[in-house]
Amino acid sequence: MEKRVRLLGILFLIVTIFSFTILAEAKSSNALVIQTDFGVKDGAVSAMKGVAFGVDPEIKIFDLTQEIPAYNIWEAAYRLMQTSSYWPKGTVFVSVVDPGVGTERKSIVLKTKTGHYFVTPDNGTMTLIAETMGIDQIREIDENINRLPGSKESYTFFGRDVYAYTGARLATGKISFEQVGPIIKPTIVKIQYQKPSIIGSTALGTVPILDIQYGNVWTNINKDMLDKLGVKVNDILKVQIFKDGQLAYEGEMLFVNTFGDVPEGKPLAYYNSLMDLSFAINMDSFSSLHKIYAGPEWSVTVEKVKK
Amino acid sequence: MEKRVRLLGILFLIVTIFSFTILAEAKSSNALVIQTDFGVKDGAVSAMKGVAFGVDPEIKIFDLTQEIPAYNIWEAAYRLMQTSSYWPKGTVFVSVVDPGVGTERKSIVLKTKTGHYFVTPDNGTMTLIAETMGIDQIREIDENINRLPGSKESYTFFGRDVYAYTGARLATGKISFEQVGPIIKPTIVKIQYQKPSIIGSTALGTVPILDIQYGNVWTNINKDMLDKLGVKVNDILKVQIFKDGQLAYEGEMLFVNTFGDVPEGKPLAYYNSLMDLSFAINMDSFSSLHKIYAGPEWSVTVEKVKK
Amino acid sequence: MEKRVRLLGILFLIVTIFSFTILAEAKSSNALVIQTDFGVKDGAVSAMKGVAFGVDPEIKIFDLTQEIPAYNIWEAAYRLMQTSSYWPKGTVFVSVVDPGVGTERKSIVLKTKTGHYFVTPDNGTMTLIAETMGIDQIREIDENINRLPGSKESYTFFGRDVYAYTGARLATGKISFEQVGPIIKPTIVKIQYQKPSIIGSTALGTVPILDIQYGNVWTNINKDMLDKLGVKVNDILKVQIFKDGQLAYEGEMLFVNTFGDVPEGKPLAYYNSLMDLSFAINMDSFSSLHKIYAGPEWSVTVEKVKK
């Protein structure tokens, strides 16, 4: 009798531990968020997801975008900056815009101060994340252990063979951050770009990117800067946009909360979803209409019109 | 001894309840299905998914389409109607085609008589769902409680800050339908459109949408109507298509089950996957060849040719 | 006392079995990987996923690509060959490029020797998989039992009504492979294509497909063949590309591991991610620059230049 109770107790303990282990495991996957310039017309992204799924069928895989323009490292950097803070701590981003694939650029995992992980070639992709989230630690991927078994002969698809594989193992807890590889200096390859500034009563900035789907023009002039200039909703802003220093657009527009605050077809200035100053035309494309595009050759000045 | 058995029993009970709670939770997520006009070239959709994943990592997120043409509320309405009945009861749809973002249009969750949920601005998006699935109840989203913490300053990305967040909380049971906000009148903003009808031996209808990928032309004339006209497989139909009342196409074609029932390059009439009358050319594009497109300006008449 | 212990033991057993059943079920889903030529601008793919999710909410659904060019069975075959080995054993692929939908072509599930499953019309889609993975067994789908309930009247969306439904039931273990339908002869409809060969010191092959995103030209000449010709990294290759037997490109290029091994703007020969010989221009598009495309009319000869 005594024995049976003890046996039951022990059995109970074993089953409990075993169950919780399984439950814990089933719940342990962080998100794996993939960004590439591969497009989705072929099977490349699916091969990456297959490799990740093969690591652990409970993995949660998402797309950031696969439509980064080919080789455009700047846009890769921007998209990571735009979205990563909306994913929880622990999320593992794999970003593969890698014109130097197979050459001597480093393959790294960067852990930010916010607890997000970025698996990527160190080629400028981390430029903006390093500034906004801060670098906690960088490890270089040890490809002797963190590489899809049997893929040694392939030199041109690190996205599948190294980055997806390593990202999936990290996201699912199959390896710890420490097991990625050795710590290296917490410095990254950076893309140079013009930071925004205030001169007198004028804000100066660039057009880092377009809101392509609608043709809205985003700047890197943020709310703090306009607050300093005393800009408030319903002020009129004088806006000049330059390409390589040549005036490409000049106009005045209302600063409002949202598109519908001006009539259809009228221009507006507003804060985009990152709280950066942007220009749009309600129900039309500012970019197409005024032939304004994005990149380092584009600059912007903004000042408040005295009423 | 007696005590130990009792202790074991109690422990057993606790572990059991705890396990089932976890199991129940792990299985409680309905699908969250997202539709927007954002495209997937930037990070907007990924930010929405990140917010949803942050609500509960066990959430099941799917795309309806992110390729609704910009501002096209009619097409948003049609795609919901086309697909939602193929998703099980309890599925939460988030539809963000929102040219009036940040203005006074209402943000609602509509529950249908079929038990599906739709999170959307009330701007016409619900036109066809209201007719096909029926309105059970509408609640206005209380943005004081159902808004991503810390997003109050952003006026232009309700898709991320309100709709994805609220949809995810509803799909995962973090809030009940009641907690969305107050019940409002069960009426929605409707897009006006021409309903199909029968006059004599002729069916009249419109071209609500194209099957874009193949250039097939879909009408809103359904099987019931053609049954009334006595149309059967292998009948010949006389078809006229008008743009703004002007004849744009006239021809006779075989009414068949499927494309391969006519030779390549020949026109056919058939029921599409929604059992609506459609026109196609086997292995070619009816739309491109005859320059027929979709929208309220397009109308159709069909009659059976006497043999 | 004795009774209570026994009762506790029995209860314990029941709960344990029940828990493990749920746990086992929760973990039993293989991946369902979908490929179509539907595009993602409308709701067709989402309807398929809704049907699959309705079969079991724990199903893991992934895209291979939905962007196969309309009716292009060859490309469908190639994409399956390109990716399927990167997904684990047990994965169920649903491929719907089906110009003959609703006609007499067979609907099959092919099990490969590697333990992967392919749900597809038997129209040539299996050409390359049959060669690379080997046919273990083919079953014809019994549409009387393996069809979405209530979909009998629809003849034009087998992808949703039959293939997604059957694939989902197979992936989640709702049916066994045996329950798909009767075994048929292990032969498939094959697309004829030119196999690569060696004549003297020259390798002959075709251009089965482009790496579209970057404009790289892939051949079906593999590493084994070039090994036989003694080709090594840093050899110079003489490459001729023909369209319908007419010379379309002639040039010499370095054979290297990866793009960055030649200067920007220079051509290179390399092994792609499938270890097939490919041609590219570092940071440019070989296909656009030299107007080389893919398909049965394109052929290639390669030989090593004596140093």
Side-chain angles (χ1 to χ4, degrees):
Chain A
M1 182 63 208
E2 171 86 32
K3 253 192 180 168
R4 278 216 233 149
V5 175
R6 195 172 298 160
L7 190 70
L8 201 58
I10 291 168
L11 260 177
F12 173 68
L13 206 71
I14 293 172
V15 171
T16 304
I17 290 170
F18 191 64
S19 298
F20 279 81
T21 310
I22 292 181
L23 282 170
E25 234 179 52
K27 303 209 89 188
S28 73
S29 179
N30 289 306
L32 181 76
V33 181
I34 300 174
Q35 166 174 283
T36 70
D37 63 348
F38 298 166
V40 293
K41 290 188 194 302
D42 70 13
V45 172
S46 186
M48 289 176 69
K49 292 182 181 173
V51 166
F53 186 84
V55 165
D56 185 339
E58 295 307 312
I59 193 168
K60 327 284 190 193
I61 307 174
F62 297 91
D63 299 304
L64 200 166
T65 175
Q66 314 307 340
E67 304 290 347
I68 299 290
Y71 318 126
N72 194 328
I73 295 169
W74 170 257
E75 189 160 326
Y78 196 90
R79 297 307 174 200
L80 289 175
M81 186 270 286
Q82 181 187 359
T83 57
S84 51
S85 65
Y86 291 94
W87 288 91
K89 192 179 154 174
T91 297
V92 176
F93 296 84
V94 169
S95 179
V96 189
V97 178
D98 191 12
V101 61
T103 62
E104 288 306 304
R105 91 275 175 273
K106 277 185 206 128
S107 294
I108 62 169
V109 180
L110 184 153
K111 185 184 177 188
T112 62
K113 293 203 165 123
T114 57
H116 296 77
Y117 297 90
F118 295 85
V119 183
T120 181
D122 180 25
N123 57 11
T125 300
M126 288 290 92
T127 300
L128 300 171
I129 286 293
E131 287 175 19
T132 53
M133 293 188 143
I135 299 174
D136 179 56
Q137 207 175 77
I138 304 180
R139 289 178 179 269
E140 184 167 1
I141 300 174
D142 179 349
E143 291 170 18
N144 290 314
I145 48 174
N146 292 307
R147 179 185 253 280
L148 181 66
S151 70
K152 277 260 160 92
E153 288 193 321
S154 174
Y155 284 83
T156 55
F157 201 175
F158 273 56
R160 178 192 68 194
D161 301 334
V162 175
Y163 300 135
Y165 182 70
T166 303
R169 298 220 297 165
L170 188 59
T172 58
K174 293 277 182 292
I175 57 171
S176 67
F177 181 47
E178 287 66 33
Q179 290 172 287
V180 163
I183 296 187
I184 58 175
K185 266 206 313 179
T187 54
I188 50 159
V189 173
K190 280 199 185 188
I191 300 172
Q192 295 305 316
Y193 71 99
Q194 180 63 45
K195 305 249 166 113
S197 60
I198 293 178
I199 297 179
S201 61
T202 303
L204 286 82
T206 62
V207 181
I209 214 143
L210 296 179
D211 185 0
I212 337 172
Q213 184 79 349
Y214 307 98
N216 305 331
V217 172
W218 288 12
T219 78
N220 64 347
I221 298 169
N222 63 28
K223 186 173 182 296
D224 287 349
M225 294 174 63
L226 291 201
D227 282 349
K228 276 182 198 149
L229 295 184
V231 172
K232 287 193 191 65
V233 165
N234 288 325
D235 282 349
I236 292 167
L237 298 183
K238 182 180 170 193
V239 174
Q240 291 184 309
I241 307 180
F242 302 85
K243 184 183 180 184
D244 291 321
Q246 302 290 311
L247 190 67
Y249 170 85
E250 184 170 35
E252 297 191 349
M253 61 190 86
L254 209 57
F255 178 73
V256 292
N257 280 327
T258 187
F259 307 96
D261 292 340
V262 302
E264 291 194 10
K266 291 290 173 197
L268 62 139
Y270 68 103
Y271 292 131
N272 69 9
S273 53
L274 303 175
M275 301 311 285
D276 287 330
L277 181 68
S278 303
F279 313 122
I281 296 174
N282 188 18
M283 300 296 283
D284 206 337
S285 165
F286 194 105
S287 166
S288 304
L289 198 66
H290 298 299
K291 309 211 183 320
I292 303 300
Y293 306 99
E297 68 273 29
W298 293 89
S299 57
V300 180
T301 65
V302 176
E303 57 188 316
K304 195 173 146 176
V305 175
K306 305 282 177 263
K307 291 188 188 177
Chain B
M1 182 64 208
E2 170 88 31
K3 254 191 178 168
R4 278 218 231 146
V5 174
R6 197 172 297 160
L7 191 69
L8 200 57
I10 290 169
L11 259 178
F12 172 68
L13 207 70
I14 292 172
V15 171
T16 303
I17 290 169
F18 191 65
S19 298
F20 279 81
T21 310
I22 293 180
L23 282 171
E25 235 178 51
K27 303 210 87 185
S28 74
S29 179
N30 289 305
L32 183 76
V33 181
I34 300 174
Q35 167 174 283
T36 71
D37 63 348
F38 297 166
V40 292
K41 290 189 195 300
D42 70 12
V45 171
S46 187
M48 290 176 69
K49 292 182 181 175
V51 167
F53 187 83
V55 165
D56 185 340
E58 296 305 313
I59 194 167
K60 326 286 190 192
I61 307 175
F62 298 91
D63 300 303
L64 201 165
T65 175
Q66 315 305 341
E67 304 290 347
I68 298 289
Y71 316 126
N72 193 330
I73 296 170
W74 170 258
E75 190 160 325
Y78 196 91
R79 296 307 174 201
L80 289 175
M81 187 270 286
Q82 180 187 358
T83 56
S84 51
S85 65
Y86 291 95
W87 288 90
K89 194 178 153 175
T91 297
V92 176
F93 295 84
V94 169
S95 178
V96 190
V97 178
D98 191 12
V101 61
T103 62
E104 288 307 305
R105 92 274 174 275
K106 278 185 205 125
S107 294
I108 62 170
V109 180
L110 184 152
K111 184 184 177 188
T112 61
K113 294 204 163 120
T114 56
H116 296 78
Y117 297 89
F118 295 85
V119 184
T120 181
D122 180 25
N123 59 10
T125 300
M126 288 291 92
T127 301
L128 298 171
I129 287 294
E131 288 175 18
T132 53
M133 293 188 143
I135 300 174
D136 179 55
Q137 207 175 78
I138 303 181
R139 289 176 180 271
E140 185 167 0
I141 299 174
D142 180 348
E143 290 170 17
N144 290 314
I145 48 173
N146 291 307
R147 179 185 252 281
L148 181 66
S151 70
K152 275 263 161 87
E153 288 193 322
S154 174
Y155 285 83
T156 55
F157 201 176
F158 273 57
R160 179 191 66 195
D161 302 333
V162 176
Y163 300 136
Y165 182 70
T166 303
R169 299 222 295 165
L170 188 58
T172 57
K174 292 277 183 291
I175 57 170
S176 66
F177 181 47
E178 288 66 32
Q179 289 172 287
V180 163
I183 295 187
I184 58 175
K185 266 205 312 178
T187 55
I188 51 159
V189 173
K190 281 197 185 187
I191 301 172
Q192 295 305 315
Y193 71 98
Q194 181 64 45
K195 306 249 166 112
S197 60
I198 293 178
I199 297 178
S201 61
T202 303
L204 285 83
T206 62
V207 181
I209 213 142
L210 296 179
D211 185 1
I212 337 171
Q213 184 79 350
Y214 307 99
N216 305 332
V217 172
W218 289 11
T219 78
N220 65 348
I221 298 170
N222 63 28
K223 185 170 183 297
D224 287 349
M225 294 174 64
L226 290 201
D227 282 350
K228 276 183 196 148
L229 295 185
V231 171
K232 287 191 192 65
V233 164
N234 289 324
D235 280 350
I236 292 166
L237 298 184
K238 183 181 170 192
V239 173
Q240 291 184 309
I241 306 179
F242 302 86
K243 184 182 182 187
D244 291 322
Q246 302 290 312
L247 190 66
Y249 170 84
E250 184 170 35
E252 297 191 348
M253 60 190 84
L254 210 56
F255 178 74
V256 291
N257 280 327
T258 187
F259 308 96
D261 292 341
V262 302
E264 289 193 11
K266 291 290 172 195
L268 63 140
Y270 68 103
Y271 292 131
N272 68 10
S273 53
L274 303 174
M275 301 312 285
D276 287 330
L277 181 68
S278 302
F279 312 122
I281 295 174
N282 188 19
M283 301 294 285
D284 205 337
S285 164
F286 193 105
S287 167
S288 303
L289 198 67
H290 298 300
K291 307 211 182 321
I292 302 300
Y293 306 101
E297 68 273 30
W298 293 89
S299 58
V300 180
T301 65
V302 177
E303 57 188 317
K304 194 172 145 176
V305 174
K306 304 284 176 263
K307 292 189 188 175
Chain C
M1 184 61 208
E2 169 89 31
K3 251 190 179 171
R4 280 218 232 146
V5 174
R6 196 173 298 160
L7 191 68
L8 202 57
I10 290 169
L11 259 177
F12 172 68
L13 206 72
I14 292 172
V15 171
T16 304
I17 290 169
F18 191 64
S19 298
F20 279 80
T21 310
I22 292 180
L23 282 170
E25 233 178 53
K27 302 209 89 186
S28 73
S29 180
N30 289 305
L32 182 76
V33 180
I34 299 174
Q35 166 172 283
T36 70
D37 63 349
F38 297 165
V40 293
K41 290 189 194 301
D42 70 13
V45 171
S46 187
M48 288 175 70
K49 292 182 180 173
V51 166
F53 186 83
V55 164
D56 185 340
E58 296 305 314
I59 193 167
K60 327 287 192 191
I61 307 175
F62 298 90
D63 298 304
L64 200 164
T65 175
Q66 316 305 339
E67 304 290 348
I68 299 290
Y71 317 127
N72 193 330
I73 295 169
W74 170 258
E75 190 161 326
Y78 197 90
R79 296 307 175 201
L80 289 175
M81 187 269 285
Q82 182 186 358
T83 56
S84 51
S85 65
Y86 291 95
W87 289 89
K89 192 179 155 175
T91 297
V92 176
F93 295 84
V94 169
S95 178
V96 189
V97 178
D98 192 12
V101 61
T103 61
E104 289 305 305
R105 91 276 175 274
K106 278 185 206 128
S107 294
I108 61 170
V109 180
L110 184 154
K111 185 183 177 189
T112 62
K113 292 201 165 127
T114 57
H116 297 78
Y117 298 89
F118 295 85
V119 184
T120 181
D122 179 25
N123 59 10
T125 301
M126 288 292 92
T127 301
L128 299 171
I129 286 293
E131 287 175 19
T132 52
M133 294 188 142
I135 300 175
D136 179 56
Q137 206 175 79
I138 304 180
R139 290 177 180 269
E140 185 166 2
I141 300 175
D142 180 348
E143 290 169 19
N144 290 313
I145 48 173
N146 292 308
R147 179 184 252 281
L148 182 65
S151 71
K152 277 261 160 91
E153 286 192 323
S154 174
Y155 285 84
T156 54
F157 201 175
F158 273 57
R160 178 191 68 196
D161 302 333
V162 175
Y163 300 134
Y165 182 70
T166 302
R169 300 221 295 165
L170 187 59
T172 58
K174 293 277 183 290
I175 56 170
S176 65
F177 181 46
E178 287 67 32
Q179 289 171 289
V180 163
I183 297 187
I184 58 175
K185 268 204 311 179
T187 54
I188 51 158
V189 173
K190 282 198 183 187
I191 300 172
Q192 295 306 315
Y193 71 100
Q194 182 64 45
K195 306 250 165 112
S197 59
I198 292 179
I199 297 180
S201 61
T202 303
L204 285 83
T206 63
V207 181
I209 214 143
L210 296 179
D211 185 0
I212 338 173
Q213 185 78 351
Y214 307 98
N216 305 332
V217 171
W218 288 11
T219 77
N220 64 347
I221 298 170
N222 63 28
K223 185 170 183 297
D224 288 349
M225 293 174 64
L226 291 200
D227 283 350
K228 276 181 197 149
L229 295 185
V231 171
K232 287 193 192 63
V233 164
N234 288 325
D235 281 349
I236 293 168
L237 298 184
K238 182 180 172 194
V239 174
Q240 291 183 309
I241 307 180
F242 302 86
K243 184 183 181 186
D244 291 322
Q246 302 290 313
L247 190 68
Y249 170 84
E250 184 170 34
E252 297 191 349
M253 61 190 84
L254 211 55
F255 178 73
V256 291
N257 279 328
T258 187
F259 307 97
D261 292 340
V262 302
E264 290 195 11
K266 292 289 173 196
L268 63 140
Y270 68 104
Y271 292 131
N272 69 9
S273 53
L274 303 174
M275 302 310 285
D276 286 330
L277 180 68
S278 302
F279 312 122
I281 296 173
N282 188 18
M283 299 296 283
D284 205 335
S285 165
F286 194 104
S287 166
S288 303
L289 198 68
H290 298 300
K291 307 209 183 322
I292 303 299
Y293 305 99
E297 68 273 29
W298 293 89
S299 57
V300 179
T301 65
V302 176
E303 55 188 318
K304 195 172 147 176
V305 175
K306 307 278 175 264
K307 290 186 188 176

